[in-house]
């Protein structure tokens, strides 16, 4: 009981610190642009929803979610298709449903749907024979590639990277023979090598395949050290004092600060000490999650295996 209480403290205190810092940072963001005037309110609403989920997490029927994961995944794929036709174009990507009081990005919901569906597949799949393992890998690949293609058309490169990480983590933690890891890694490295070859030596072919908008996003990602935002973000971090509490005075202009450069914006509000506290809080949360995963892995595996289809 005492160990559980210590674990809870390791979770709730860092989480509360992160929530408090982010509310102040989003409130400060209103001086950057009128577009961010309601960010603090939205952040508070999301935190309230998340807190209610935490409060009632023990009443959530996780087994039902796993058994319904295919339909959740299918629904997410339908949303990704619909957003291509009816979504709002924001920063060159048609990835958002825009409503009166909030925006909704289906690619974010797909991260949850994919995690649930891959978990169900992995726990219910047999790995007794080579044929079973090949069947598993093909199913995992299809679950990954369908939303990745749809998100590619938006385009949203960041989401595809997360889908790849979710898929890779699922395979690594499954009971599949580790001999499959070598060809999978070689295949991934081959695709990466082919991409970089096309990027540096066959740009016309690459642009004709992925389009100018997507190519520009990739180029901006690979040349991250250039550009107004990254230069101003580095300046904000480098010029910040150790301690600061600033909610009303604009320090350095960073257009996408509340999203892509929230860490630099934190330095504008709280100084370097605020960044340090933020990093420590995330580190403690990671430790908590690792402890929970290590202590409950065996128990959860037995529960899901014995009761999955009951």
């Amino acid at each position: 009981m005492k160990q559980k209480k210590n674990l809870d403290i390791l979770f709730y205190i860092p989480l509360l610190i992160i929530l408090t810092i982010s509310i102040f940072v989003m409130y400060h963001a209103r001086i950057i642009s009128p577009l961010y005037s309601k960010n603090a309110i939205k952040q508070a609403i999301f935190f309230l929803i998340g807190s209610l989920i935490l409060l009632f997490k023990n009443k959530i029927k996780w087994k039902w979610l796993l058994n319904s994961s295919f339909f959740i995944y299918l629904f997410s794929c339908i949303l990704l298709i619909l957003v291509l036709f009816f979504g709002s174009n924001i920063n060159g990507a048609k990835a958002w449903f825009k409503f009166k009081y909030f925006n909704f990005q289906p690619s974010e919901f797909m991260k949850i749907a994919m995690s649930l569906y891959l978990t169900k597949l992995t726990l219910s799949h047999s790995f007794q024979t080579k044929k079973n393992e090949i069947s598993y890998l093909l199913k995992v690949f299809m679950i990954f590639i369908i939303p990745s293609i749809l998100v590619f058309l938006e385009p949203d490169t960041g989401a595809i990277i997360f889908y790849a990480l979710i898929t890779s983590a699922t395979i690594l933690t499954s009971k599949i023979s580790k001999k499959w890891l070598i060809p999978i890694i070689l295949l991934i490295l081959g695709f990466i090598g082919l991409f970089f070859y096309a990027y540096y030596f066959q740009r016309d072919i690459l642009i004709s395949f992925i389009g100018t908008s997507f190519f520009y996003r990739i180029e901006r990602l690979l040349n991250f050290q250039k550009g107004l935002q990254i230069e101003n973000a580095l300046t904000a971090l480098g010029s910040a004092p150790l301690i600061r509490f600033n909610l009303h005075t604009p320090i350095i202009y960073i257009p996408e600060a509340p999203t892509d450069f929230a860490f630099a914006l934190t330095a504008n509000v709280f100084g370097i000490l605020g960044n340090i506290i933020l990093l420590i809080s995330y580190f403690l949360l990671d430790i908590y999650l690792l402890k929970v995963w290590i202590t409950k892995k065996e128990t959860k595996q037995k529960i899901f295996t014995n009761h999955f289809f009951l």
Side-chain angles (χ1 to χ4, degrees), residues 50-273:
S51 298
L52 290 174
I53 293 174
L54 276 177
L55 185 64
F56 295 104
K57 67 181 186 299
N58 293 329
K59 296 185 179 181
I60 296 175
K61 297 182 179 180
W62 300 106
K63 187 171 65 176
W64 177 86
L65 278 177
L66 283 177
N67 287 328
S68 306
S69 59
F70 169 75
F71 300 102
I72 297 172
Y73 173 81
L74 181 63
F75 176 68
S76 300
C77 288
I78 293 172
L79 289 178
L80 289 176
I81 294 172
L82 291 176
V83 79
L84 294 173
F85 294 96
F86 306 107
S88 299
N89 194 312
I90 299 176
N91 294 330
K94 211 169 186 181
W96 298 81
F97 286 118
K98 198 170 184 179
F99 300 101
K100 186 174 181 180
Y101 296 106
F102 69 97
N103 298 334
F104 173 67
Q105 192 173 11
S107 61
E108 294 296 320
F109 186 69
M110 174 54 78
K111 294 175 186 176
I112 301 173
M114 180 182 288
S115 298
L116 286 171
Y117 193 30
L118 286 173
T119 299
K120 177 187 175 182
L121 174 67
T122 303
L123 292 174
S124 60
H125 200 85
S126 171
F127 297 92
Q128 298 299 320
T129 65
K130 186 177 180 180
K131 185 178 179 181
N132 292 144
E133 292 183 327
I134 293 173
S135 172
Y136 171 75
L137 288 173
L138 288 174
K139 290 176 182 177
V140 168
F141 177 74
M142 290 302 298
I143 293 170
F144 162 73
I145 200 65
I146 292 172
S148 295
I149 291 173
L150 293 172
V151 170
F152 178 88
L153 297 173
E154 293 179 0
D156 183 358
T157 53
I160 297 175
I161 294 172
F162 273 103
Y163 297 163
L165 290 173
I166 292 169
T167 304
S168 301
T170 303
I171 294 173
L172 287 172
T173 54
S174 71
K175 293 183 178 180
I176 195 169
S177 174
K178 301 309 175 188
K179 67 183 180 182
W180 290 102
L181 297 181
I182 295 176
I184 290 172
I185 291 172
L186 290 176
L187 184 64
I188 293 172
L189 292 176
F191 274 112
I192 293 174
L194 184 64
F195 167 79
F196 277 106
Y197 172 78
Y199 177 79
Y200 287 108
F201 302 108
Q202 301 291 338
R203 290 196 170 195
D204 291 340
I205 296 176
L206 186 63
I207 290 173
S208 66
F209 176 67
I210 65 176
T212 54
S213 176
F214 193 69
F215 179 84
Y216 170 73
R217 284 173 168 268
I218 293 173
E219 190 169 46
R220 189 172 64 178
L221 182 66
L222 293 177
N223 296 284
F224 67 93
Q225 292 181 326
K226 300 177 182 178
L228 172 68
Q229 296 221 87
I230 188 65
E231 290 178 1
N232 284 8
L234 291 173
T235 302
L237 289 169
S239 62
L242 178 62
I243 301 174
R244 169 192 281 159
F245 186 67
N246 168 43
L247 293 179
H248 306 287
T249 306
I251 306 297
I252 297 175
Y253 177 67
I254 308 172
E256 300 292 336
T259 52
D260 299 341
F261 295 93
F263 190 71
L265 190 60
T266 302
N268 275 354
V269 180
F270 292 103
I272 297 301
L273 184 60

Side-chain angles (χ1 to χ4, degrees), residues 242 263 271-281:
L242 178 62
F263 190 71
I272 297 301
L273 184 60
N275 290 116
I276 294 173
I277 293 173
L278 193 64
L279 289 174
I280 292 173
S281 299

